[in-house]
């Protein structure tokens, strides 16, 4: 954990994804409701790159968005505040698409610079401002007019990730151009169209944790970055000095946390700035076939809470989140469930501070 945040990990699993070398695999790493953001592995053998692409200012972005190469498209000029920019779009022309394909999908790779809690409150209090508008999908109808086909397509969950947008049944004419519009601070690296080649082109081997250890590590050095690039860290250059104001615990005691991470059961690792979980997994049992490649997907179930001063309960790790939660903090109707979750974790939440120089304390369960 590099940032001024709390991280709550309930379950972590690594999966080996084996596939023919000429097949690209995508996961759906987006933020959105379950019907849009459900985990899925796509095997793409045939892909189409844009014949032409431009942004809302008429600039040619075809080369920049043709492949994953670190050339990010910034389709907006005016930054209103972190995470909120002028309304803008990217327009993609793939030519005539094979709409008879069963699973025609637009794959977008990019990253999001989000607002924070204080900014969201400030925007909400300003009648002349609105919250960032997430991406929507637009197509051309039979009159040549652009119309909204999907008002919300989801967005990348943080740093550079790929999202899948179904194109089945979205077109209103023989003009298959699409626009991705919104006012979030998004930067796109690649846009392609493909279709799922079939599950027979993917072999998944789930790998359960062999060892997981929580420890204090410190903070990696920020790498220099261009304004349109996400923040990255040099993991090999580390400082053990605190980088952020101290936050209140309790946190998970250092040492083995394997049993806390093997299942989705509300038994969790609670970590804070400077903490690290070191994980070991077994090798996949099945060898890699000839002319196949292997990728990996790290899947985690958990929650993140930033320590912004306007975040509810943002200066301490309590109350704990849980899977069936309807609001944070828990509503009165879920108080008993929240207490059950605390009791599940009380024995391991015995560390009051994250820095190793700070004395450890035993934390008693909160009183009703």
């Amino acid at each position: 954990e590099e940032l001024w945040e709390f991280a709550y990990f309930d379950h972590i699993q690594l999966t080996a994804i084996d596939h023919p070398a000429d097949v690209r695999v995508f996961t759906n790493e987006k933020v959105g409701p379950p019907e849009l953001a459900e985990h899925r592995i796509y095997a793409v053998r045939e892909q189409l790159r844009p014949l032409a692409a431009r942004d809302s200012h008429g600039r040619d972005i075809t080369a920049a968005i043709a492949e994953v190469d670190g050339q990010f498209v910034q389709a907006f000029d005016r930054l209103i505040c972190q995470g909120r920019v002028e309304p803008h779009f990217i327009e993609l022309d793939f030519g005539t698409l094979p709409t008879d394909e069963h699973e025609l999908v637009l794959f977008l790779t990019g990253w999001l610079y989000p607002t924070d809690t204080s900014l969201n409150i400030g925007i909400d209090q300003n009648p002349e401002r609105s919250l960032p508008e997430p991406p929507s999908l637009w197509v051309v109808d039979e009159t040549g007019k652009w119309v909204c086909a999907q008002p919300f397509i989801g967005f990348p969950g943080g740093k550079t990730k790929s999202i899948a947008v179904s194109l089945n049944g979205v077109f209103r004419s023989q003009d298959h151009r699409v626009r991705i519009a919104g006012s979030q601070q998004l930067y796109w690296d690649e846009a392609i169209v493909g279709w799922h080649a079939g599950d027979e082109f993917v072999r998944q081997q789930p790998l359960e944790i062999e060892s997981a250890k929580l420890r204090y590590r410190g903070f990696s050095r920020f790498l220099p970055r261009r304004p349109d690039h996400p923040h990255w860290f040099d993991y090999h250059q580390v400082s053990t000095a605190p980088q952020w104001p101290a936050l209140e615990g309790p946190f998970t005691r250092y040492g083995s946390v394997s049993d806390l991470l093997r299942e989705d059961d509300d038994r969790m690792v609670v970590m804070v700035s400077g903490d690290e979980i070191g994980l070991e997994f077994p090798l996949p049992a099945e060898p890699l076939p000839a002319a196949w490649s292997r990728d990996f997907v790290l899947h985690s179930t958990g929650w993140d809470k930033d320590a912004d001063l306007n975040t509810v309960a943002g200066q301490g790790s309590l109350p704990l989140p849980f899977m069936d939660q309807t609001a944070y903090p828990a509503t009165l109707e879920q108080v008993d469930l929240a207490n059950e979750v605390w009791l599940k974790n009380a024995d391991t939440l015995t560390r009051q501070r994250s820095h190793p120089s700070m004395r450890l304390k035993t934390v008693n369960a909160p009183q009703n």
Side-chain angles (χ1 to χ4, degrees):
E1 179 56 78
E2 302 278 6
L3 303 179
W4 199 35
E5 297 177 334
F6 303 91
Y8 305 80
F9 283 93
D10 191 352
H11 176 235
I12 299 178
Q13 183 180 68
L14 188 70
T15 301
I17 310 293
D18 298 343
H19 56 91
D22 63 346
V23 168
R24 288 183 71 181
V25 293
F26 290 90
T27 60
N28 189 26
E29 301 173 291
K30 72 167 66 170
V31 175
E35 61 270 19
L36 291 181
E38 184 180 8
H39 173 63
R40 172 81 185 276
I41 299 293
Y42 294 89
V44 178
R45 172 159 270 170
E46 299 181 63
Q47 59 187 24
L48 302 173
R49 303 191 183 279
L51 302 176
R54 67 182 183 92
D55 66 15
S56 46
H57 293 279
R59 294 175 292 228
D60 187 343
I61 59 172
T62 310
I65 209 163
E67 58 183 332
V68 175
D69 57 4
Q71 293 188 61
F72 290 95
V73 170
Q74 179 181 310
F76 55 88
D77 286 345
R78 188 163 66 95
L79 176 65
I80 297 171
C81 67
Q82 175 188 308
R84 170 73 163 91
V85 302
E86 64 178 327
H88 62 282
F89 64 78
I90 58 172
E91 181 179 313
L92 308 168
D93 184 357
F94 295 93
T96 301
L97 291 172
T99 55
D100 57 340
E101 288 291 345
H102 177 60
E103 291 190 276
L104 192 66
V105 181
L106 172 65
F107 295 99
L108 296 166
T109 300
W111 70 280
L112 169 74
Y113 204 145
T115 57
D116 57 33
T117 307
S118 291
L119 285 169
N120 289 338
I121 291 175
I123 293 171
D124 186 61
Q125 292 175 344
N126 187 339
E128 297 182 0
R129 292 283 183 256
S130 60
L131 290 170
E133 182 181 344
S136 53
L137 176 71
W138 295 68
V139 298
V140 182
D141 69 11
E142 293 182 347
T143 68
K145 179 182 177 182
W146 286 95
V147 295
C148 183
Q150 295 182 25
F152 178 62
I153 62 171
F155 52 86
K159 295 176 184 176
T160 310
K161 292 178 171 60
S162 298
I163 65 172
V165 182
S166 174
L167 296 181
N168 291 335
V170 303
F171 296 109
R172 314 291 174 84
S173 70
Q174 295 303 308
D175 187 338
H176 292 165
R177 287 177 296 162
V178 296
R179 284 181 177 177
I180 307 299
S183 61
Q184 284 184 314
Q185 190 176 350
L186 278 163
Y187 301 87
W188 299 110
D189 194 8
E190 182 189 54
I192 68 165
V193 167
W195 43 95
H196 183 50
D199 292 337
E200 66 270 22
F201 292 99
V202 177
R203 183 179 66 185
Q204 302 187 44
Q205 298 186 66
L207 308 173
E208 299 296 337
I209 292 172
E210 281 189 339
S211 170
K213 294 181 180 179
L214 179 67
R215 58 196 175 220
Y216 182 83
R217 174 179 175 271
F219 301 88
S220 304
R221 185 178 73 89
F222 266 117
L223 291 172
R225 60 181 283 270
R226 287 173 27 183
D228 60 355
H229 281 210
H231 291 94
W232 292 112
F233 303 90
D234 183 349
Y235 183 81
H236 301 288
Q237 296 191 46
V238 61
S239 169
T240 58
Q243 301 290 316
W244 304 99
L247 297 170
E248 294 296 326
F251 308 110
T252 304
R253 49 58 182 152
Y254 289 136
S256 176
V257 291
S258 303
D259 290 344
L260 300 178
L261 298 175
R262 288 196 174 106
E263 296 181 20
D264 282 324
D265 56 4
D266 281 330
R267 297 177 67 237
M268 66 193 78
V269 173
V270 182
M271 55 192 288
V272 72
S273 307
D275 285 351
E276 175 182 79
I277 304 174
L279 297 149
E280 293 183 1
F281 297 89
L283 292 173
E286 296 294 329
L288 194 63
W292 278 47
S293 296
R294 174 169 288 161
D295 290 308
F296 291 90
V297 170
L298 184 67
H299 176 268
S300 61
T301 302
W303 200 60
D304 179 88
K305 179 170 68 172
D306 97 56
D308 185 291
L309 295 178
N310 281 300
T311 297
V312 174
Q315 296 297 296
S317 62
L318 298 178
L320 298 177
F322 49 91
M323 283 188 293
D324 295 329
Q325 195 162 11
T326 58
Y328 187 85
T331 62
L332 289 176
E333 292 77 14
Q334 291 194 308
V335 165
D336 289 344
L337 184 55
N339 286 337
E340 289 176 15
V341 172
W342 164 258
L343 292 174
K344 284 184 178 182
N345 291 277
D347 289 346
T348 57
L349 290 175
T350 56
R351 180 168 54 99
Q352 182 64 20
R353 295 288 190 182
S354 64
H355 194 271
S357 66
M358 296 179 178
R359 187 172 12 174
L360 305 184
K361 293 181 179 180
T362 301
V363 180
N364 296 321
Q367 300 299 310
N368 291 333

